Every structure is written in structure tokens, then in C-alpha cells.
Amino acid sequence: MKFKILREDLLVPLQQVIGAVEKRQTLPALSNVLIKGEAQGLSLTATDLEIELVSTVQLMLDEPGEITLPAKKLLDICKSLPNEAEISIDVDVDRAIIKSGRSRFTLTTLPASDFPALDEISSVYEFNISQNVLKDLIDKTSFAMAQQDVRYYLNGLMMEVSSSTIRTVATDGHRLAFCEKEMDGDLADSKQVIIPRKGISELQRLLADSDETIKVILGNNHIQCQLPNQRFTSKLIDGRFPDYKRVMPAAEGNTLIVDRESLKQALVRASILSNEKYRGIRFILSENLLKLQAQNPDQEEADVELEINYSGDALEVGFNVTYMLDVLNTSSREIVQGIIKDANSSLLLSFPDESQARYVIMPMRL
């Protein structure tokens, strides 16, 4: 295989696929990137056997072929070269010679036959969705995914699609994030899949904030997203996601309405003296007033008061301040609304101008 390419034309697709390169190197080929040169151009593939990323470049090759090169070293070489530099790559058996200007690098290669491929995806459902809609769904819910929970099905994001709606839901057992959007689909019934954490973080990175439509294919064991010049494939988590509808409290009870930024700043101030391990803050609600109290093991205390719109029952309840701030950071809206039935109930948070997203935070004992 032999070809010449501009630095930027190789650097961009390399950066797009590098997230899938296996760092633990269970198989030597997994630390490499598969480069295929064909008549229609160049494709770069990286995988860790859980996710697979493919990027393509339009290019005329001197000699077609396929080979795997050390991904991180190739990326570092491209980064180190000056802008608009021309790179020539010449593969000879088990060595690749990379030249640019007066620089010359020799990399060891592994044959393309050593590179593992994900199982062929068999389509069960297909639909089209704009990138910014899918990105927004993920951004508004993915923070609530569990991290290394023994309930493995919580370590991912649940996506549910039906003929007119797409939903994303994440929970770690202490909080839940829910978002839904309308979409045009031709699905006979609804389909639920759980996408693992790593797949979600890579998809977040790849999706652009644009109206451009992408194709999503849901299989029995995989999800695939076909983006312009890119293809993302991830294995799915095999498990049953909790019934989120049972967890979602009814939107009735004591209602508080508060300025989002004021609440955020008050929570940050109170959290300075909260217990660093449990991050608990006491919420004391009375007529048009919210008191935030925090204590730590050193017997230090913080008291912060905030004027709010509230005329419900006097309540005293504890919440994890990090969970509250995570929700407030998902939106730039001015107003946030909270609904809580009593001191033992979960808090339902939403933004009146963004009715598609709702958040549940369970109370904690302080």
C-alpha cells in the first residue's frame, strides 16, 4: 500500500477513531488502527471489541491495500508535523515508512487479518434523526448513568424508540434523568436498547450540533449510527432496564419555582461546608423561602437563604447537592420548577420551557 495525504486529511479521521483504541492491549492489534486503501478512498477503523469507529477519506491511492499501524504513534506523528504538510506512507511487508519534508519515521505493522471485526449487525429497526436532537437527548440524560454498578444494566443509557417518539433514560438508583423528543419513524411497536457508557461518551464526541440527518440502525446486539464520512457501532448491554414510569412521581404536590442561576449559586455556596463523602444538603421550605443548610464532620456549618415562589407545606428534606447541580447544568433556561409531595418523597425537577426533560432525585437521610 502506498499513498500521499495532507496532514489535516489524516489527522481529523485519526482523532475521530482514536477513542475506540484499546488501552489495555489485550490483543496487540487492538492498539492499532486498520487502514484500508481502495478505489474510492481511505478508511480508518479502530475497535476495543465493544465499540467500533470507522472514518473515511476521499483519496487517490498510488497502490491500494490494507494494514494496521500503531494508532497512538501515528496520531502523535501527525500532530507533530506542521500545518498543511504532505505525508507519504509506504507499507512494505511488516514496516511502514512515513515521510514528510525532512522527517522520516519507520513503524512496525500488523497484518489486517489480525484485526478483529465486530459481529455483522442485523437490522431490527432503522430510523433517521438529526444530529442535534440525538445529541441533546444524550446530553440531558447521560450524566445520571451509574458507574461500575453491579447492576450492569444501569451502567448505560436506555434508548426507547416508537413510531413518533424517541426517549433516553438514565439512572444510578439514586436519581433518574428522562428526556423525550418527537421523531418520524415507521415502527410497528416500541424498541428498548441499553447503550454502554463508553459508547455514549464516544457518540457524544462525534455528534455535531447541526440539523444534518444521520441514520440509526438498532440490531439485537448492536446499535450503529451512520454519520457523514463516519460510522459508529457499539455493542448493547444485555439486560432489562428498570420501569422508569414507576419511578417518575406524579406532577402534583408542593411546587417551588426558582431562578436557576440563583439556586445554582446558593447550592455551590452551601456545598463548601457539606460532608465531602455524602454531599448532603438540608432543604428547608417555607412560605416563599428556601433555606439551605450543610454540615461536615468538623462541625462546620453553612446557612444560605434564597427567596423563591412557594406556598406549599413547610418541609425539611435532604438531597445530594451534586445531583442537584448536575440537573441545573443541563439547561440554560432561567426558571426551574420542583415538585415534592412530602419529606419522604422524591423531588421532580423540570424546566417549564423544556417540557421534554424531567429529573427525579431521591431524598437522603441527614
Side-chain angles (χ1 to χ4, degrees):
M1 186 165 71
K2 188 175 182 181
F3 62 90
K4 289 181 180 176
I5 189 168
L6 285 174
R7 169 188 178 267
E8 285 70 26
D9 291 343
L10 183 58
L11 180 60
V12 171
L14 261 176
Q15 288 173 324
Q16 288 168 346
V17 302
I18 198 73
V21 173
E22 175 61 69
K23 295 177 178 65
R24 293 188 299 273
Q25 296 181 15
T26 46
L27 280 172
L30 292 180
S31 61
N32 283 16
V33 59
L34 172 66
I35 300 178
K36 280 186 182 179
E38 297 168 326
Q40 61 268 38
L42 208 63
S43 74
L44 286 77
T45 305
T47 184
D48 64 358
L49 299 180
E50 186 178 281
I51 64 171
E52 179 185 80
L53 296 174
V54 182
S55 280
T56 56
V57 186
Q58 298 297 314
L59 188 71
M60 292 291 290
L61 282 83
D62 299 329
E63 289 177 24
E66 56 181 16
I67 198 69
T68 78
L69 297 176
K72 181 75 170 62
K73 290 172 185 171
L74 184 58
L75 180 65
D76 288 344
I77 288 169
C78 289
K79 283 181 177 177
S80 71
L81 295 171
N83 289 342
E84 297 182 18
E86 187 179 65
I87 301 170
S88 74
I89 298 180
D90 189 354
V91 178
D92 182 23
V93 193
D94 61 349
R95 287 281 184 273
I97 297 163
I98 300 168
K99 295 178 186 173
S100 180
R102 295 187 174 185
S103 302
R104 186 177 187 275
F105 308 88
T106 305
L107 290 178
T108 57
T109 68
L110 286 172
S113 56
D114 286 5
F115 196 81
L118 286 185
D119 300 334
E120 194 68 32
I121 182 168
S122 54
S123 170
V124 176
Y125 288 94
E126 292 183 17
F127 61 92
N128 294 320
I129 189 169
S130 62
Q131 290 196 52
N132 54 5
V133 169
L134 185 56
K135 183 173 170 56
D136 197 43
L137 282 162
I138 293 172
D139 288 347
K140 284 194 165 19
T141 53
S142 59
F143 67 89
M145 290 185 293
Q147 296 195 45
Q148 298 179 322
D149 197 293
V150 290
R151 296 164 295 180
Y152 58 93
Y153 48 83
L154 298 184
N155 301 319
L157 186 81
M158 192 278 283
M159 180 186 288
E160 184 178 56
V161 291
S162 60
S163 58
S164 60
T165 310
I166 177 168
R167 299 182 186 91
T168 52
V169 185
T171 181
D172 60 6
H174 304 287
R175 55 175 169 176
L176 180 142
F178 166 97
C179 189
E180 70 177 2
K181 305 256 185 186
E182 290 182 2
M183 73 161 204
D184 293 325
D186 188 18
L187 309 181
D189 53 6
S190 63
K191 167 81 172 167
Q192 270 193 17
V193 298
I194 307 173
I195 308 164
R197 168 178 284 277
K198 184 169 183 183
I200 287 296
S201 61
E202 284 304 316
L203 195 50
Q204 256 178 317
R205 197 171 61 83
L206 294 173
L207 290 169
D209 201 5
S210 77
D211 293 331
E212 202 165 11
T213 300
I214 63 168
K215 185 178 185 180
V216 179
I217 300 169
L218 299 180
N220 288 321
N221 303 310
H222 295 84
I223 179 172
Q224 189 171 91
C225 299
Q226 296 176 358
L227 295 88
N229 301 320
Q230 288 171 267
R231 192 180 74 221
F232 161 88
T233 310
S234 172
K235 283 187 175 179
L236 298 171
I237 293 175
D238 184 20
R240 181 176 285 277
F241 199 78
D243 184 358
Y244 62 89
K245 291 170 186 167
R246 287 179 58 193
V247 178
M248 197 84 68
E252 54 189 39
N254 300 293
T255 303
L256 58 133
I257 295 169
V258 58
D259 179 78
R260 184 189 67 88
E261 190 59 35
S262 299
L263 177 59
K264 184 177 165 182
Q265 291 174 8
L267 287 167
V268 169
R269 285 196 292 273
S271 69
I272 295 167
L273 298 183
S274 68
N275 185 314
E276 289 182 13
K277 185 177 180 183
Y278 301 109
R279 304 285 286 158
I281 283 187
R282 182 174 280 107
F283 284 60
I284 302 171
L285 287 160
S286 57
E287 182 90 22
N288 292 332
L289 187 69
L290 171 62
K291 286 184 184 178
L292 302 173
Q293 292 183 344
Q295 286 180 319
N296 62 26
D298 298 325
Q299 302 302 311
E300 296 169 329
E301 295 181 4
D303 279 279
V304 179
E305 290 189 358
L306 184 64
E307 285 187 11
I308 63 169
N309 187 336
Y310 181 78
S311 56
D313 301 334
L315 289 178
E316 197 169 311
V317 58
F319 291 109
N320 182 308
V321 67
T322 304
Y323 296 170
M324 294 288 296
L325 290 170
D326 283 345
V327 171
L328 298 179
N329 286 331
T330 63
S331 177
S332 56
R333 303 291 182 177
E334 287 185 12
I335 300 298
V336 60
Q337 174 182 283
I339 299 175
I340 186 166
K341 191 176 177 184
D342 54 48
N344 299 312
S345 301
S346 298
L347 174 67
L348 178 66
L349 285 171
S350 62
F351 301 93
D353 298 335
E354 286 179 356
S355 57
Q356 311 108 322
R358 298 197 289 281
Y359 305 93
V360 181
I361 301 177
M362 290 182 69
M364 62 187 297
R365 218 177 254 116
L366 295 177

